Every structure is written in C-alpha cells, then in structure tokens.
Amino acid sequence: YAKALSFDDNHIRALLGLARLFPEKALQYYSKVISVNPKHHEALTARARVFLLEGKIEKAARDGREAVRWAGELYAEPHSILGAILYSQGKYEEGRTRYEKAMEIDPHSAEARFGLVEYHEFLHQYDQALAEVEKVVLEAKDQPLWLERAGNTCYSLGVEFDEKGKKKRANSC
C-alpha cells in the first residue's frame, strides 16, 4: 500500500487496504477516500459502520443513507448497515425494510438475514425470532457463518437445535 501511495497519495484501493490493516486509523482512511470520491459506497458504508460502533449515530446515518444512494440495488451491505443504524435509532420498521432490500440483493447475506431476526427480538417477538432462526438452521447446511449466528441467537434466546435442525430445548423466552 505504501508503494501505491508513493505514486498517488489518493490511491483508493491502498487507502481502503490501510483502513482494514489499521482499524485505529480507519476513520481517517475512509474519510480520505470519500474526499477523493464522495460517491464511493464502500468507503461510505465502512465509515458508517465505524461511526455506529463509536455511537456517532447521526454521522453513521448520514453516511449510511449516502452509501445506499450510491450503491443503489447492486450491493447489499450498505442496506444492511443502514438497517442496523435505523435499529439503533429505534426505527425498527424502516430498519427491517433495509434488511429486506439487502436480502433481495443478496439472499446469502448473513448480516441481512440476522437483521431480520433482530427485528423480532427488538420487538420482543421471540416466537417469530425463533421461527426465523429455525428456517436459517434448516437452510444453512453449507453456510457456517449462518449456523454460527443461529447458534449465538439461540443461545441468547435460550434455545438449542439438534443436528437435524429440530428444536431440542426452549426456556422462558
């Protein structure tokens, strides 16, 4: 990355690479990319995620909306991150809509799929959340990330599934 930046200090791929290598400086690198190309949905999405993690919700929302604007219907991740931001603002219906759009774009997106599960959790609709997780377990035979997330969700809701996806145990959730 240093070599690329020595030729061009605005080299977008190098800046994005450095943001992944040095998370403590990620915001600086993503901001530089956006200053070079304000429509760069990948940098906008990544910066929105950083702002969300830092609790800077308004800045996250601004970047999330811009990322969706420029990514359109080609990329799921901007929709998913905007869904998470909207959930953090208590805007559950709007957030669910973003996650649904992300699932339309990429039906294999674990982030989007579990964003829809979280919708039910936020509304304390645990039976619906469990029904969604059961679907995931049955559909996720070859998707370890989905199974891992399903396991984490089941643990938090107090439910276990056997190797065939059948509910083994549930408690008071």
Side-chain angles (χ1 to χ4, degrees):
Y1 299 125
K3 184 81 166 170
L5 289 172
S6 72
F7 293 111
D8 175 6
D9 63 348
N10 291 327
H11 192 282
I12 288 175
R13 287 281 140 216
L15 292 166
L16 292 173
L18 288 170
R20 286 186 285 277
L21 279 176
F22 302 105
E24 68 280 0
K25 293 183 176 182
L27 202 54
Q28 170 189 335
Y29 292 122
Y30 295 136
S31 295
K32 174 89 176 201
V33 170
I34 294 164
S35 73
V36 172
N37 180 357
K39 298 177 183 180
H40 199 283
H41 68 86
E42 184 180 347
L44 286 160
T45 301
R47 191 170 77 173
R49 189 180 303 277
V50 172
F51 282 142
L52 178 61
L53 292 171
E54 291 180 350
K56 298 175 181 173
I57 305 304
E58 291 307 313
K59 289 181 177 184
R62 180 197 63 220
D63 280 0
R65 283 187 198 90
E66 283 298 296
V68 164
R69 176 180 174 198
W70 298 115
E73 298 194 13
L74 295 176
Y75 299 95
E77 188 180 12
H79 294 274
S80 289
I81 191 62
L82 184 55
I85 293 162
L86 290 165
Y87 281 178
S88 76
Q89 295 175 315
K91 298 176 181 177
Y92 302 118
E93 292 301 323
E94 289 178 61
R96 180 179 56 87
T97 300
R98 289 291 104 216
Y99 282 118
E100 288 172 343
K101 176 53 83 177
M103 284 297 296
E104 285 177 26
I105 296 167
D106 180 4
H108 301 290
S109 169
E111 185 174 19
R113 184 65 181 261
F114 283 93
L116 295 172
V117 171
E118 289 172 352
Y119 168 78
H120 296 295
E121 289 183 81
F122 285 129
L123 297 180
H124 306 286
Q125 298 171 342
Y126 300 116
D127 289 339
Q128 290 94 328
L130 290 173
E132 287 298 318
V133 172
E134 287 176 12
K135 288 181 201 174
V136 170
V137 169
L138 292 173
E139 294 173 16
K141 296 177 183 88
D142 62 343
Q143 301 206 29
L145 182 59
W146 282 33
L147 292 171
E148 177 188 350
R149 293 279 305 266
N152 292 340
T153 302
C154 291
Y155 178 78
S156 71
L157 294 175
V159 177
E160 292 180 3
F161 293 88
D162 66 17
E163 59 278 352
K164 294 180 183 172
K166 301 288 182 196
K167 196 183 310 184
K168 275 181 20 182
R169 176 182 67 80
N171 65 13
S172 62
C173 58

